[in-house]
């Protein structure tokens, strides 16, 4: 596979086969994440119809913390101060994201909420710039413009379809943008200064749960016993949060960041499909606008993948030329007399 981290020429055939098997396993694991997220949208949509969205968000986050604890405890015990403080900040935005998505799904369909969440691409370039990660590139700005066009298509030219649900969805998108940008800043330093990502993810979930403690003391707990509610809570806590964090931290390095980001955007597609299975409505404007937003979210990743593919092609051409005893045209100036 093109995303393998191993040089095929330096690996014996038996080990090469094993490496390719690991590549396929990693790719399948990364593909499973947006599928899991897509299933979670209609489950949450059904659950928050009978339970307070804030209480649901707390219960989901609590289950995620407990599920992630056995995997993260060893690294959490030796985590750096930077990981703990970073997790604290991320936990606040994580809590805001979960609560906002839960309230959005109380008012909107799974597809509409997924459209809102994907709109985080509009916020990310400007949030990253504010955090000192550089000004938006031309591709970033193009993604913002295309994303806004997609939002107008979904909402209508007169914005008549804007409701409190879309405002909650927009707040979730902002929280996601902050989370992505902060994680990028914390992990962009030299390897010696990076924080352990699993520890960071665990503290993010833990502090997010603590930030939501208000809801179980102020809301009726009785709806939590409803079957569709606790099924959604367990699925979202264990699968959509704990398992997704574990799979991403273990396999993303092998698949590659650019390819992973493109795959993750499929949650918009899966949320729409499972929403239809859940008998939720989906208009033509939502389908077309969602497709435009999906395109906007992939522009930078697709550009990076295209550049890497071209570089790999040039490298292979150079290797073939060398093997044939020819010198590539661009290297003739480097020949010694």
């Amino acid at each position: 596979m093109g995303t393998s981290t191993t040089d095929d020429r330096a690996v014996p055939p038996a080990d090469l086969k094993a490496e390719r098997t690991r590549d396929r396993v990693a790719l399948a694991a990364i593909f499973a994440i947006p599928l899991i997220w897509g299933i979670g949208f209609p489950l949450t949509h059904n659950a928050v119809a009978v339970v307070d969205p804030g209480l649901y968000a707390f219960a989901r986050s609590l289950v995620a913390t407990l599920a992630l604890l056995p995997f993260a405890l060893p690294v959490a015990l030796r985590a750096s101060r930077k990981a703990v403080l970073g997790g604290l900040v991320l936990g606040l935005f994580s809590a805001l994201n979960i609560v906002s998505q839960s309230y959005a799904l109380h008012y909107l369909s799974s597809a509409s909420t997924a459209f809102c969440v994907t709109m985080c691409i509009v916020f990310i370039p400007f949030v990253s710039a504010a955090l000192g990660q550089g000004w938006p590139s031309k591709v970033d700005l193009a993604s913002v413009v295309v994303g806004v066009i997609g939002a107008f298509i979904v909402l209508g030219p007169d914005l008549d379809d804007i409701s409190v649900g879309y405002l909650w969805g927009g707040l979730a998108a902002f929280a996601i943008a902050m989370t992505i940008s902060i994680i990028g800043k914390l992990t962009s330093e030299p390897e010696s200064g990076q924080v352990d990502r699993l520890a960071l993810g665990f503290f993010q979930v833990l502090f997010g749960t603590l930030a939501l403690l208000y809801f179980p003391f102020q809301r009726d707990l009785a709806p939590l016993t409803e079957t569709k509610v606790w099924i959604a809570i367990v699925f979202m806590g264990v699968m959509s949060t704990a398992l997704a964090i574990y799979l991403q931290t273990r396999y993303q390095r092998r698949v590659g960041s650019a390819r992973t980001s493109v795959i993750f955007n499929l949650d918009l597609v899966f949320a729409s499909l499972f929403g239809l299975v859940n008998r939720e409505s989906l208009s033509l404007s939502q389908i077309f606008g969602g497709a435009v937003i999906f395109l906007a979210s992939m522009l930078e990743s697709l550009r990076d993948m295209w550049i890497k593919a071209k570089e790999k092609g040039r490298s292979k051409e150079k290797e073939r030329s060398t093997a044939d005893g020819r010198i590539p045209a661009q290297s003739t100036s480097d020949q010694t007399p």
Side-chain angles (χ1 to χ4, degrees):
M1 271 190 184
T3 55
S4 176
T5 57
T6 306
D7 188 343
D8 292 354
R9 296 168 299 173
V11 181
D15 293 341
L16 179 59
K17 183 178 180 180
E19 282 298 314
R20 288 176 174 170
T21 299
R22 294 188 188 100
D23 284 342
R24 288 192 289 269
V25 171
L27 190 60
I30 294 298
F31 261 109
I33 295 176
L35 176 62
I36 292 170
W37 288 344
I39 296 173
F41 276 96
L43 286 177
T44 299
H45 177 75
N46 294 339
V48 295
V50 296
V51 68
D52 178 79
L55 178 61
Y56 171 84
F58 166 79
R60 165 190 168 176
S61 188
L62 177 62
V63 170
T65 303
L66 296 176
L68 198 58
L69 184 61
F71 304 100
L73 185 59
V75 294
L77 291 177
R78 60 175 186 270
S80 64
R81 181 184 178 188
K82 186 176 182 180
V84 176
L85 294 178
L88 173 61
V89 176
L90 288 171
L92 298 177
F93 285 108
S94 176
L96 178 61
N97 170 37
I98 294 175
V99 167
S100 299
Q101 281 197 49
S102 300
Y103 275 103
L105 283 162
H106 180 73
Y107 296 102
L108 303 175
S109 67
S110 299
S112 296
T113 304
F115 297 153
C116 293
V117 169
T118 309
M119 285 298 294
C120 67
I121 57 171
V122 173
F123 297 106
I124 289 176
F126 304 106
V127 172
S128 297
L131 292 176
Q133 294 179 278
W135 290 101
S137 66
K138 292 180 180 179
V139 176
D140 291 330
L141 295 177
S143 297
V144 171
V145 173
V146 176
V148 171
I149 292 173
F152 271 98
I153 294 173
V154 172
L155 297 173
D158 298 324
L159 303 182
D160 293 332
D161 292 333
I162 285 184
S163 65
V164 65
Y166 281 108
L167 296 179
W168 279 113
L171 190 58
F174 171 74
I176 292 172
M178 289 296 300
T179 301
I180 292 174
S181 300
I182 293 172
I183 289 176
K185 187 173 181 62
L186 290 174
T187 59
S188 62
E189 297 181 359
E191 189 171 348
S192 59
Q194 288 189 11
V195 298
D196 185 285
R197 294 193 178 194
L198 184 56
L200 187 66
F202 172 72
F203 285 118
Q204 173 184 340
V205 175
L206 174 63
F207 287 123
T209 304
L210 295 177
L212 296 171
L213 272 174
Y214 164 84
F215 293 100
F217 293 102
Q218 298 295 325
R219 299 293 188 267
D220 180 18
L221 302 180
L224 292 176
T225 60
E226 296 234 5
T227 302
K228 64 181 178 181
V229 173
W230 63 258
I231 287 178
I233 289 172
V234 171
F235 181 89
M236 294 300 292
V238 175
M239 303 294 288
S240 291
T241 305
L243 179 61
I245 289 176
Y246 175 76
L247 292 177
Q248 184 177 2
T249 54
R250 178 168 182 177
Y251 293 111
Q252 179 174 317
R253 180 177 176 274
R254 182 173 288 271
V255 175
S257 298
R259 198 173 187 183
T260 296
S261 64
V262 172
I263 293 171
F264 278 1
N265 288 329
L266 292 174
D267 68 338
L268 173 58
V269 178
F270 290 127
S272 301
L273 292 176
F274 287 113
L276 289 174
V277 174
N278 196 43
R279 297 181 179 179
E280 300 174 29
S281 61
L282 186 64
S283 66
L284 288 176
S285 63
Q286 288 178 318
I287 294 174
F288 185 53
V292 173
I293 295 173
F294 182 68
L295 172 63
S297 68
M298 294 196 306
L299 285 180
E300 184 170 4
S301 297
L302 290 175
R303 181 203 62 178
D304 292 341
M305 291 176 65
W306 173 255
I307 292 174
K308 289 181 179 179
K310 289 177 64 177
E311 290 176 348
K312 185 176 180 180
R314 285 196 294 265
S315 177
K316 287 185 176 181
E317 176 63 28
K318 185 176 181 179
E319 291 173 4
R320 284 195 296 267
S321 299
T322 303
D324 293 340
R326 294 182 286 110
I327 300 176
Q330 64 270 26
S331 303
T332 55
S333 60
D334 298 330
Q335 298 180 60
T336 56

